[in-house]
Amino acid sequence: MATLSKDTLRKLVVLHALSQWRRGAFGLTRVQKTLFFAEHEAEPRLFTFKRYYFGQYSDDLAPALNGLQRACRLECRFDGSAERLVAVLDAEDRDRLRRAMRRLLPAWCEGFKTSFQEWGLLKHDELLEKAHEDPTYTEYEHDEVIHRSTLRGDFVSDALDDAEAEWLADLVDERLQRALSTRFSLLGGERGKPEPDWESKYFS
Amino acid sequence: MATLNLSLVESELRKVMSRSQALKHLVRDRLRELEEDPTQFKELRVCPPEIATRRDVTLRKLKFKHQRHEYRLIVAHWSTPGEIDHCDALLLFPRKDDYDIDWEWVEQALKS
């Protein structure tokens, strides 16, 4: 049995979702819609969504995206007509994360698969039009909550062992890579000075 | 065999060892194992690009677990043909119950 914090779980879900767009997700609106329809019919609901100007929108996504940026797991690229949100993961980590998500959140993953096919690759104007025609938009008032997150505190699952949970937490830790970089830079690119007497220095 | 440099985590190391004699002995035994053969410890997959691109450095992770005390030590393992291996300890930290790294503990250790 393993426990992940709510923030860690949200960052992992968003990272996994972003990694499904081969060249990155074109625009945040696309990410918002794809995540909304991934979980609207499923449990657990990871984010609270409301009706907003561009359709179904969650305030919970910004902290997860900012966290992923701080963790060096998200890059925003401006090389076309729209900003691309690109997950920074190598192929091995991407596959491992996908397998972990399937064990951790099987229903959500199924919902995301369908949502990605339906919403993930639409042209921007088609995406907005479709989102504004959906009953989750037409039947709600501006700023009204469409669905609430069912996540309360930490997320406990028996689908992960300790080692996997530790890897997942480290993957999106907002300080680990920077802390390692900072400490490594103190070595100046070379091996540190050996301490042949480390036992007597630290353990006597 | 490898040489060790623990100076970068001296504050954290002394804080860990002050918890109990048993933990202190455990840490010493793990470090002896590291000195004997660093490759027996798992590679850390989460690695900054400037380290990941180096062919002569691998980050490795040691676990110290005794009763309710559980810590991780991350070391940079230097390996160059023709030279004796070397390990620089980079980070030492405990985890919270949800596996998140306890960065407050690290900050406290550095202040003490």
Side-chain angles (χ1 to χ4, degrees), chain A residues 162 166 181 183 191 195, chain B residues 4 6 50 72 84 90 99:
Chain A
D162 285 345
E166 192 170 314
S181 289
R183 286 288 173 94
R191 298 169 176 225
E195 296 178 297
Chain B
L4 303 187
L6 307 174
E50 69 270 27
R72 303 285 182 270
I84 189 167
L90 297 181
Y99 296 91

Side-chain angles (χ1 to χ4, degrees), chain B residues 68-103:
Chain B
R68 62 190 174 85
H69 303 300
E70 191 166 348
Y71 298 88
R72 303 285 182 270
L73 175 68
I74 298 175
V75 302
H77 171 206
W78 300 77
S79 182
T80 311
E83 285 186 52
I84 189 167
D85 285 8
H86 174 75
C87 291
D88 287 300
L90 297 181
L91 273 180
L92 177 57
F93 53 81
R95 289 186 183 277
K96 300 182 201 169
D97 292 341
D98 56 14
Y99 296 91
D100 286 348
I101 294 169
D102 190 346
W103 290 108

Side-chain angles (χ1 to χ4, degrees), chain A residues 165-184:
Chain A
E166 192 170 314
W167 174 73
L168 287 169
D170 286 353
L171 191 67
V172 294
D173 188 284
E174 294 173 26
R175 295 176 65 175
L176 180 58
Q177 287 212 44
R178 288 182 208 283
L180 287 169
S181 289
T182 302
R183 286 288 173 94
F184 190 74

Side-chain angles (χ1 to χ4, degrees), chain A residues 102-173:
Chain A
R102 278 186 186 167
R103 288 199 304 277
L104 205 58
L105 300 165
W108 185 91
C109 286
E110 279 305 307
F112 179 76
K113 193 175 164 187
T114 306
S115 178
F116 185 82
Q117 288 166 350
E118 193 174 338
W119 297 86
L121 302 172
L122 290 175
K123 289 180 180 171
H124 188 67
D125 52 350
E126 291 172 349
L127 182 83
L128 285 181
E129 190 177 339
K130 189 172 160 131
H132 283 83
E133 287 170 354
D134 194 87
T136 57
Y137 184 84
T138 58
E139 294 175 8
Y140 287 81
E141 299 292 324
H142 178 72
D143 217 16
E144 184 180 358
V145 170
I146 305 170
H147 74 228
R148 286 193 187 281
S149 169
T150 55
L151 285 179
R152 291 294 169 258
D154 291 343
F155 184 78
V156 182
S157 170
D158 56 8
L160 291 178
D161 60 22
D162 285 345
E164 198 71 352
E166 192 170 314
W167 174 73
L168 287 169
D170 286 353
L171 191 67
V172 294
D173 188 284

